[in-house]
Amino acid sequence: MAIRTEGLHHVTAIAGNPQRNVDFYARTLGLRLVKTTVNFDDPGTYHLYYGDDAGRPGTIMTFFPWNDVAKGRQGTGQATTTAFSVPANSIGWWQGHLAQVEVKTSRITTRDDEDTLTFTDPDGLTIALVAHKQADPRNPWDTPLVPGEHAIRGLHSVTLSVSQEDATAEMLTDGLGLTFLHQDGNRLRFAAGDGGPGALVDVLVTPDAPSGLVAGGTVHHVAWRVPDDTTQQAWREELVGKGVKVTPIMDRQYFHSIYFREPGGTLLEVATDDIGFTADEPLLELGRALKLPPWLEPDRDQIAAGLVKLNLPDENNPEVAEKLAAR
């Protein structure tokens, strides 16, 4: 079987204060908080998932928010920009909205015939909003601050910064089945599947940049889509056969995952599309309660007592979800 991912599954980053993280991504950017759980490897901290109205693969941004996290450093060997797709006529609205809530943005630039607005989140993570000219049918989350007509549709692309491009390009094409599209200066663009928002990755070659330090305000890993467990097992065997050091399959409750590091340094994940966030709570209630995997349930009281209580946005409520589900 030749590996051929259909695109990005999710991006996971490290943040500081969890309430500030909720306020920015659920309120300012208008994403839906689709799961409130803990870091399975460190249950003393949250793992917060944001996405479209159901948290579908390709729309998901997740965070490990540690209150006292040290600040990281952006550089080579990591994903340095996470881009989201917004409607073609909405980039001006977003510029005005972000100015209103006092988020400093770049000027609007155009790359690959797409308008782009760039800014940083409260922890210094670089975020871009890209106005893609083709229709993006993914389901937005409708909130009072960010109406559905302008809302984020899902991930657009990620940028991997490397000191040398050859081995990373080989991993993307031969290892994950992406197609090389073109090169613009020191930026190479690749596409998964048929391309378009959620299926793009840029490789930015910066030989003189410092190595990145993964900590607060940086991306921890980038996950790619695989349809199901059977295909994931086959892909794992194929990667191992090529000499890639791949982890065993891990149960992440809402998908199954394998991890490996691309030669340029970025940690990659391949995550299954099946299972989903309604595995342990109904669609209308997503994100409102602390959910734990079965193996952590015996310690629920202790875990919950150690977490900061979150003030969730009013729009993360069943009435809005019901309206969206009825469309």
Side-chain angles (χ1 to χ4, degrees), residues 243-265:
V244 181
K245 292 182 179 179
V246 188
T247 67
I249 295 171
M250 297 184 182
D251 182 1
R252 296 310 190 192
Q253 187 74 359
Y254 313 107
F255 43 83
H256 294 151
S257 300
I258 56 175
Y259 300 85
F260 56 96
R261 206 169 284 280
E262 59 88 12

Side-chain angles (χ1 to χ4, degrees), residues 164-181:
Q164 297 181 8
E165 70 273 30
D166 290 350
T168 296
E170 184 177 355
M171 171 60 77
L172 293 175
T173 53
D174 295 343
L176 288 166
L178 275 66
T179 303
F180 170 68
L181 294 182

